[in-house]
Amino acid sequence: MPLAARLLLAFGLVAIIATAFVGLTLREASREIIESGFADRIGAAHAGVRQQLAWEADALRDLLPPLCRHDTFVDKAHVELERAKGDPDAMDTGSRIAIARQVPSQAKALRLDELSLVAGDGTVLGAEDAARTGARDRRLAALIKAPGGAPRLRPAKEGGEPSLEVHCALTGHGVTLGLVGARRIGPVLARIGDAYDVRLTAAPAGQPEPRSGEGEVVRVLRFPEIPGLDVVASVSRDPLRQALGRLDRSIALTGATVLAIAVAIAVVLARSLSRPIVALARETREVMSGAPRRVEGRGGREIADLAAAFNATIDELAAMRKRLAATERIAARREVARQIAHEIKNPLAPIRAAVETLRRLRQRDDPAFDDYFEEATSTVLDEVHRIANIVTEFTRFARLPPPNLEPVDLVAVARGVVTLHTAPASGEPTAGGTGGGAQPRVELVAEPVARVSADRDQIIQVLTNLVQNGLDAASAVRRDPRVSVTIGPLPNDRVRIVVRDNGPGVAEEMVPRLFEPYATSKDKGTGLGLAIAQRIVFEHGGEISYRKAQKGGAVFEIWLPVAGPPLLEKPPGETTVRPRVPEAP
């Protein structure tokens, strides 16, 4: 993956992860804050309701007893009830109506939601609701007979709501008259709930306790001052959802902005970082192709350090290659010298024998001297000519120049070699030396390949040697000698050349020594052709190998790098880029 793509991916992931982490943390913190705000509002409402109910209870406790003790309205009603001997039905109708009319005005004056004037048998003599007048309520009868005191909770009736209820009673001459007043709790809850934005409702008796859900937060409030009173406090979660929605949109917008900024920074950094690296890579490829100059690091101290380290490595590798080449030349010359000494000893033996024989015949004035002289001198000349050939081939091998690199079209070069060996001159024998045999066939199969940095003449020499060897080997055993040359691309910017013949192949005992100097199976060969070919291929940075074809014949395969030899032939001049040193302040 390119550096720019990695930087974009890294910065993008960092921006997304950071935004997601901060956003989720902020969102959770906001949720907790809002939820705690709900709890605080419910707690404040609880305290407010408790305080208000306590105030209401204290006010109600002292509201009715003074009326029962010395209020003229109550005293008059008691006197009328005494006259009727405690029987409400026996009371004077006019007096009863007058009493009933006074009760609503008293309820209004006392700010009571309900007020009932009750006889001892539970008959309602008057009430704020005229419809209740004349009704008989046993609960009220039992209530006015009980001692008064703190207000009590009166549970809600059907369709009603709970209330705080107080009473007082006036008893004399066997007649009991009582006042029962009540103040509803609903208005108190509504007033406190509006103040704290909390919905407060009295919990219905006998129903399961409500619980919080997705739509609202619910708590049940209890008041020790008023036993039995349960109030359900609920707060809608709509503000929470709305706040979280706004927060999510803000986080998404912020994340998109941060991501855009991160991508812009990554693009700038990628360009600033990749440009010197790409330039350095281009320069190193040129150096590896054999350009005799150093790379220069631009763009930062690290790039300069890398360039300096690369230049130092190239220097060392070039020096090592020179030392290795020198060592190989010395070893090769030693081996060639040994081979030459061995090859020269063979013709020296018959030369020495011929000369010694001539000397003996001359000393004895042997008449056979003249006859033997022609044979001996011919033998000496042949062997001297053989020694001269050996020395000439050795000189060619030893003086092989380094490759003069230039862009070479291998297909065109191979086509020229194939054409030369396919069309011999008119009247001349074929390549194998068999004058009456079939014309040798040399084929070229080539795919499009890139131009190779190589020495044109040396590549021609290698191909000519391999094609000629293949024709010689095939012509010796077949009447249809055939050689094919195949050229095609290879991975990693390489080119392959394959030379295949239909001859007998290389003898098994010769394969290990195939590329050694003076190793040959030919009667008149010197054994330097393949050694020279191998040296040319190696100096081009390539490889050459042999294998036997499946259907018989020899296969020589060559791999050449498109860019040419991978290392410099000589170290460049002293232009190494040194690491940058911070300037003194």
Side-chain angles (χ1 to χ4, degrees):
M1 183 182 295
L3 177 62
R6 292 184 181 182
L7 285 176
L8 286 174
L9 181 60
F11 275 74
L13 287 177
V14 169
I16 292 173
I17 293 174
T19 303
F21 177 76
V22 174
L24 290 177
T25 303
L26 181 61
R27 193 177 192 276
E28 189 61 27
S30 300
R31 176 187 289 274
E32 292 178 358
I33 291 173
I34 297 175
E35 292 278 5
S36 64
F38 291 162
D40 293 342
R41 284 161 53 187
I42 292 176
H46 186 194
V49 171
R50 185 174 181 181
Q51 181 180 7
Q52 185 66 26
L53 289 180
W55 182 86
E56 292 286 348
D58 289 341
L60 288 175
R61 182 187 299 112
D62 301 329
L63 188 61
L64 294 184
L67 297 179
C68 292
R69 286 196 296 268
H70 48 71
D71 188 78
T72 56
F73 157 67
V74 177
D75 290 341
K76 183 177 179 180
H78 188 263
V79 169
E80 292 295 332
L81 188 59
E82 284 182 356
R83 289 177 182 173
K85 298 186 180 193
D87 184 6
D89 295 333
M91 290 178 63
D92 178 63
T93 303
S95 298
R96 188 169 179 175
I97 292 173
I99 293 172
R101 288 179 177 177
Q102 290 183 357
V103 173
S105 60
Q106 288 291 334
K108 186 176 182 180
L110 297 174
R111 293 186 302 106
L112 293 173
D113 297 314
E114 296 180 14
L115 182 62
S116 301
L117 182 63
V118 183
D121 61 355
T123 301
V124 179
L125 301 178
E128 88 293 344
D129 184 7
R132 295 172 53 221
T133 302
R136 181 169 294 181
D137 190 337
R138 293 182 179 179
R139 187 187 70 82
L140 295 180
L143 182 62
I144 62 176
K145 293 177 181 177
R152 294 174 298 276
L153 176 68
R154 188 183 72 185
K157 299 179 181 179
E158 290 291 335
E161 56 181 326
S163 304
L164 289 179
E165 190 177 58
V166 294
H167 73 279
C168 65
L170 177 61
T171 302
H173 305 285
V175 176
T176 300
L177 180 68
L179 278 175
V180 179
R183 189 169 288 169
R184 291 192 296 272
I185 296 177
V188 176
L189 299 180
R191 187 169 63 253
I192 302 299
D194 292 341
Y196 293 99
D197 195 17
V198 178
R199 188 164 64 89
L200 300 173
T201 58
Q207 294 188 7
E209 184 175 301
R211 298 184 179 276
S212 299
E214 292 294 329
E216 58 183 3
V217 180
V218 178
R219 281 181 56 187
V220 177
L221 309 180
R222 292 180 173 85
F223 303 92
E225 296 84 357
I226 305 176
L229 176 62
D230 292 342
V231 175
V232 177
S234 60
V235 179
S236 175
R237 292 184 183 270
D238 288 340
L240 173 62
R241 286 193 290 269
Q242 295 172 1
L244 292 180
R246 292 193 299 270
L247 182 60
D248 291 341
R249 289 190 292 272
S250 299
I251 292 174
L253 180 60
T254 303
T257 304
V258 172
L259 181 60
I261 295 174
V263 170
I265 295 175
V267 170
V268 173
L269 286 179
R271 289 180 176 177
S272 62
L273 291 177
S274 62
R275 188 180 295 113
I277 294 177
V278 170
L280 181 61
R282 183 179 63 253
E283 292 182 5
T284 55
R285 283 194 296 269
E286 293 175 357
V287 169
M288 298 301 290
S289 301
R293 64 184 182 84
R294 292 189 175 277
V295 300
E296 182 177 356
R298 304 180 183 89
R301 179 176 180 179
E302 292 79 8
I303 302 298
D305 292 344
L306 177 60
F310 179 81
N311 290 332
T313 303
I314 289 297
D315 290 347
E316 183 62 26
L317 289 176
M320 289 177 62
R321 177 170 180 173
K322 290 186 66 179
R323 292 193 296 270
L324 180 60
T327 303
E328 289 179 348
R329 291 191 187 99
I330 293 173
R333 287 169 182 168
R334 287 177 178 174
E335 177 64 20
V336 171
R338 185 184 67 80
Q339 294 286 350
I340 290 177
H342 175 73
E343 293 294 329
I344 291 178
K345 283 182 181 179
N346 293 331
L348 286 179
I351 291 174
R352 180 177 180 179
V355 172
E356 289 177 349
T357 302
L358 286 175
R359 286 174 61 85
R360 286 196 301 272
L361 294 175
R362 180 67 175 171
Q363 288 176 358
R364 295 187 310 214
D365 292 328
D366 194 322
F369 176 83
D370 293 334
D371 296 334
Y372 184 71
F373 181 81
E374 182 66 26
E375 178 183 353
T377 55
S378 177
T379 299
V380 170
L381 290 176
D382 289 341
E383 296 301 329
V384 169
H385 181 67
R386 181 180 174 188
I387 293 174
N389 287 338
I390 294 175
V391 174
T392 300
E393 291 295 330
F394 168 70
T395 303
R396 288 180 56 199
F397 179 75
R399 292 183 179 179
L400 186 67
N404 183 20
L405 302 178
E406 61 178 345
V408 175
D409 186 351
L410 287 182
V411 177
V413 169
R415 186 176 294 112
V417 174
V418 168
T419 302
L420 178 65
H421 287 81
T422 302
S426 176
E428 294 182 1
T430 56
T434 58
Q439 180 175 328
R441 187 173 66 181
V442 183
E443 302 173 334
L444 173 64
V445 179
E447 300 179 29
V449 294
R451 287 179 172 268
V452 176
S453 180
D455 188 310
R456 180 185 182 87
D457 294 336
Q458 292 187 2
I459 295 299
I460 291 177
Q461 183 178 356
V462 172
L463 290 177
T464 301
N465 182 278
L466 294 179
V467 172
Q468 187 63 52
N469 286 348
L471 289 175
D472 292 343
S475 299
V477 297
R478 303 179 68 98
R479 295 186 59 82
D480 59 339
R482 185 172 67 253
V483 175
S484 65
V485 180
T486 305
I487 299 178
L490 283 177
N492 300 325
D493 294 330
R494 295 184 300 166
V495 176
R496 178 175 61 184
I497 305 173
V498 180
V499 179
R500 181 184 288 105
D501 63 60
N502 62 346
V506 179
E508 293 295 333
E509 62 272 11
M510 282 296 299
V511 173
R513 303 175 54 243
L514 189 58
F515 296 101
E516 292 182 4
Y518 298 103
T520 181
S521 59
K522 297 181 180 180
D523 295 336
K524 297 181 179 181
T526 61
L528 289 175
L530 289 179
I532 293 174
Q534 183 189 52
R535 178 173 172 183
I536 291 174
V537 172
F538 281 2
E539 290 186 349
H540 278 75
E543 297 179 10
I544 183 172
S545 63
Y546 163 81
R547 72 174 186 273
K548 190 171 184 179
Q550 295 180 354
K551 296 183 180 180
V555 179
F556 287 89
E557 194 165 348
I558 299 173
W559 297 272
L560 291 176
V562 173
L567 290 177
L568 296 173
E569 285 297 320
K570 59 181 180 179
E574 292 298 327
T575 57
T576 304
V577 178
R578 303 298 180 185
R580 297 181 183 177
V581 179
E583 297 180 358

